[in-house]
Amino acid sequence: MDSKQELAKQAERQAELEAMDPALRQALGDFKASVHAWSDAMVSRPRTVQQTVVRRTWRLVAGGVLTSVLIAGAVTGELYEHHERQMQQARFAAERTAAQQRELAAQRAHEEQDLLAKVDSDVSRDVPSALEPLASLMAEDATR
Amino acid sequence: MATAEEIAAQQFSDTVASCRPQIFRFLLASTRDVDLAETLTQDCLLKAHRNWSQFRGESTVMTWLMRIAINLQKDHWRNRRLQFWRHASANSVDVEEASSWLPSGQSSQEQQLLAREKVAHVWRAVEGLSERQRTVFLLRFVEEMELSEIARSTGLSEGTVKAHLSRALAKVRAELGGK
């Protein structure tokens, strides 16, 4: 922006302000000065970092607590899983023993059944020999 | 030897650094919240840095930055209106505190008190302005921007800027006259 334009703008602004009533002009001038003073003071004010540090400390504490909770959870989970595994193995072993016992009982029952069948067959074979004469008579009647 | 990126960054830094106080001042006057004004100023400069390559020099850097700042401020209020369940901004200082800032001149205590009262009246009037009226008023009477620059920064026509300015001044005048 060249100086002519700058001067023209200043003149325009001056004319605008002069057109206003003095009280308004004064008030607007004070307002502008006040905002500038406030802004300048805020820009150059010392910044405090205390709150940030406190927040960081809280974050560290919260992080530590969270980590502890996670570790405790992991350990508890692992223990629970181990316990569950042992219980399952015990259940499997009990089931296996029960199955073996059932198999043994079934085998015994089968053997007993075989033995009884053998006894029956032995007895049934003896009976016809005792009735042999009657059988031969029946055979003779048939040939006649 | 500096790379093209380094040169661009340095150029941005040199150009924008001088505008920073003015952007902050405008945002501070608009929001009356120091923390919010600082955050929005940072956001404004960050956005400007990201879009620096797109700046064609059709307006001054100040006008371009001010436009970004105004848009960021609008977005902020829009988002806050939607997030109504959040704690309402209690960081804005009240009119009395805002008007307590005056340059330390040679004026007497009485004059200082009088000036403080007038400033408080203007703050009250500014508080009652619509968003656009307030923006136009602050750009004109605090930042001393030209009407054409205000029009470019706000995206309004010069005629609309004049109309907003006239209504804003009428309200300020009424507030001062009603004391």
Side-chain angles (χ1 to χ4, degrees):
Chain A
M1 191 184 296
D2 58 27
S3 57
K4 275 185 185 175
Q5 278 180 318
E6 188 63 39
L7 283 172
K9 280 178 182 176
Q10 278 179 5
E12 189 190 338
R13 182 173 300 282
Q14 193 61 34
E16 186 189 21
L17 288 172
E18 278 169 11
M20 289 177 190
D21 58 280
L24 181 62
R25 193 168 58 224
Q26 182 64 42
L28 289 176
D30 288 341
F31 178 71
K32 184 189 128 192
S34 170
V35 174
H36 279 239
W38 185 21
S39 173
D40 292 347
M42 289 302 107
V43 165
S44 57
R45 81 188 196 284
R47 307 306 205 263
T48 51
V49 291
Q50 199 180 354
Q51 202 178 354
T52 316
V53 172
V54 169
R55 220 178 281 155
R56 274 186 192 160
T57 312
W58 273 108
R59 276 184 196 162
L60 280 175
V61 171
V65 169
L66 191 64
T67 310
S68 307
V69 167
L70 283 172
I71 290 170
V75 169
T76 311
E78 187 60 37
L79 282 174
Y80 178 73
E81 209 173 313
H82 180 68
H83 176 70
E84 276 292 300
R85 251 199 317 268
Q86 277 187 333
M87 291 291 285
Q88 206 172 8
Q89 279 173 353
R91 265 203 305 276
F92 283 153
E95 276 173 19
R96 214 177 300 131
T97 311
Q100 278 175 349
Q101 278 175 351
R102 272 200 302 276
E103 206 177 319
L104 203 63
Q107 200 179 346
R108 271 185 200 152
H110 190 67
E111 279 171 5
E112 275 175 16
Q113 217 170 0
D114 284 352
L115 184 65
L116 281 172
K118 190 170 177 288
V119 169
D120 281 351
S121 68
D122 286 351
V123 170
S124 64
R125 221 178 290 143
D126 286 344
V127 172
S129 60
L131 298 173
E132 190 61 32
L134 185 60
S136 61
L137 280 174
M138 285 175 75
E140 278 175 16
D141 284 347
T143 51
R144 269 183 214 161
Chain B
M1 188 182 279
T3 63
E5 271 184 22
E6 283 169 349
I7 292 168
Q10 187 59 45
Q11 193 189 4
F12 172 81
S13 186
D14 293 344
T15 315
V16 165
S18 57
C19 301
R20 195 183 188 284
Q22 201 174 339
I23 297 289
F24 172 73
R25 188 169 56 222
F26 165 72
L27 290 168
L28 179 66
S30 299
T31 61
R32 292 211 313 263
D33 182 337
V34 179
D35 291 337
L36 179 59
E38 278 192 344
T39 306
L40 290 177
T41 306
Q42 286 299 324
D43 288 350
C44 173
L45 297 185
L46 190 66
K47 207 169 178 180
H49 183 258
R50 283 181 186 152
N51 296 294
W52 183 237
S53 58
Q54 291 166 24
F55 176 63
R56 301 273 170 248
E58 288 158 0
S59 61
T60 62
V61 177
M62 190 64 236
T63 308
W64 182 62
L65 288 174
M66 202 54 97
R67 183 163 193 151
I68 296 173
I70 291 167
N71 287 334
L72 281 170
Q73 191 199 345
K74 269 189 212 165
D75 289 347
H76 171 77
W77 294 124
R78 198 179 300 135
N79 290 341
R80 219 193 62 171
R81 269 200 293 275
L82 290 172
Q83 295 166 355
F84 57 90
W85 60 87
R86 282 196 180 175
H87 180 64
S89 170
N91 294 333
S92 297
V93 300
D94 61 16
V95 166
E96 304 307 323
E97 194 181 331
S99 52
S100 66
W101 292 94
L102 279 174
S104 51
Q106 289 98 16
S107 55
S108 65
Q109 283 254 313
E110 199 181 333
Q111 282 172 321
Q112 289 265 336
L113 200 66
L114 205 65
R116 196 168 295 173
E117 257 182 54
K118 277 182 188 167
V119 172
H121 277 293
V122 179
W123 270 121
R124 269 186 220 108
V126 168
E127 208 170 29
L129 298 177
S130 72
E131 200 180 303
R132 275 187 182 173
Q133 286 173 356
R134 185 164 49 242
T135 300
V136 168
F137 177 83
L138 292 174
L139 291 178
R140 183 64 172 160
F141 291 108
V142 177
E143 302 310 326
E144 297 192 320
M145 282 171 75
E146 295 305 318
L147 293 178
S148 57
E149 287 174 326
I150 298 173
R152 271 198 291 272
S153 293
T154 53
L156 301 169
S157 69
E158 267 195 55
T160 313
V161 169
K162 275 182 191 169
H164 282 310
L165 204 55
S166 165
R167 284 185 207 125
L169 268 180
K171 284 182 186 171
V172 173
R173 198 178 283 118
E175 177 68 38
L176 286 168
K179 66 182 172 180

